[in-house]
Amino acid sequence: MPGHVALIDYGAGNLQSVANALKAAGAPLVKVTDKPDVVLAAERVVLPGVGAFGACARALRGISGMVEAMEQRVLDEGAPFLGICVGMQLLASRGVEHGVHKGLDWIGGEVIAIEVTDPAIKVPHMGWNDVAAMKHRDGAGLIERGEAYFLHSYHFVPDEGRDIAAITDHGGAITAAVARDNILGVQFHPEKSQRYGIELLERWLDWKP
């Protein structure tokens, strides 16, 4: 029987909606958890996130042993990982929302404010927008062209373009997804993206990096 998906609860995510979407995509068992040992035993790990980068980073590190458990299970042991919205942004080296804050530094880069010069382009970037998949060596086939739901005012700029798995356009190119090895992060919300989001989660649940 397949193992469980650990959906990390650090007080900063749309947990029930994400859990429901994972179940709709075929996950046999989703454990919403703030326990490092549940993460260590998981087959797959999901980090959601809603809010400011710094507050989310502090909340995640505020759970004793959680970051260490994530690093062991994902970086050392290769469990498939999915970061959603701020959960994706936390993969970066740092975020500059209301000061400079240290990220997980799993994928080098920084999270900066969306800057637009056209007053018709609104921030936050909120609503449906096209996702354009990039040709990518990691996470091949996970991200497909389509339309997803976004809600953010900051965006992830990776140090290396090869880590960008998809882009969207909001007054310029914005990273919609990153991927490296067994790690996938998406700026959009699969749980709010209807069929497009469920199909992405289906592919991620079948992913064997």
Side-chain angles (χ1 to χ4, degrees):
M1 178 180 176
H4 65 268
V5 176
L7 177 57
I8 298 174
D9 178 5
Y10 61 112
N14 190 12
L15 293 166
Q16 195 56 56
S17 294
V18 176
N20 289 343
L22 286 163
K23 291 172 185 174
L29 180 60
V30 178
K31 292 186 178 181
V32 178
T33 185
D34 61 357
K35 307 297 184 189
D37 60 333
V38 176
V39 173
L40 287 171
E43 182 177 310
R44 296 169 187 271
V45 179
V46 178
L47 182 68
V50 174
F53 184 102
C56 288
R58 284 192 299 274
L60 184 61
R61 291 193 172 95
I63 303 174
S64 179
M66 180 57 80
V67 170
E68 292 80 3
M70 291 168 58
E71 289 175 342
Q72 178 179 329
R73 189 70 192 100
V74 177
L75 299 185
D76 298 341
E77 299 173 0
F81 174 91
L82 174 63
I84 298 173
C85 196
V86 180
M88 172 261 226
Q89 295 181 356
L90 288 173
L91 296 171
S93 309
R94 61 199 163 274
V96 296
E97 184 175 0
H98 309 307
V100 179
H101 309 279
K102 183 180 178 182
L104 293 169
D105 199 24
W106 290 7
I107 295 179
E110 65 179 5
V111 176
I112 63 175
I114 297 173
E115 293 186 8
V116 293
T117 56
D118 182 349
I121 302 296
K122 303 300 183 184
V123 177
H125 174 207
M126 179 172 64
W128 292 86
N129 208 344
D130 290 335
V131 176
M134 312 290 284
K135 290 183 178 179
H136 204 270
R137 75 194 195 301
D138 296 326
L142 282 178
I143 304 292
E144 294 186 354
R145 181 174 292 276
E147 198 175 22
Y149 186 86
F150 292 80
L151 177 55
H152 64 118
S153 299
Y154 288 73
H155 65 120
F156 186 0
V157 181
D159 289 340
E160 298 187 37
R162 65 191 180 94
D163 290 324
I164 300 174
I167 59 172
T168 190
D169 183 5
H170 190 69
I174 286 175
T175 301
V178 294
R180 178 185 290 183
D181 301 325
N182 55 311
I183 296 166
L184 175 68
V186 294
Q187 181 62 67
F188 54 85
H189 288 272
E191 77 280 7
K192 296 181 180 179
S193 297
Q194 300 179 7
R195 192 65 222 164
Y196 179 83
I198 296 299
E199 289 174 352
L200 167 67
L201 295 176
E202 290 173 349
R203 292 190 294 274
W204 180 78
L205 288 166
D206 288 336
W207 186 33
K208 295 177 175 61

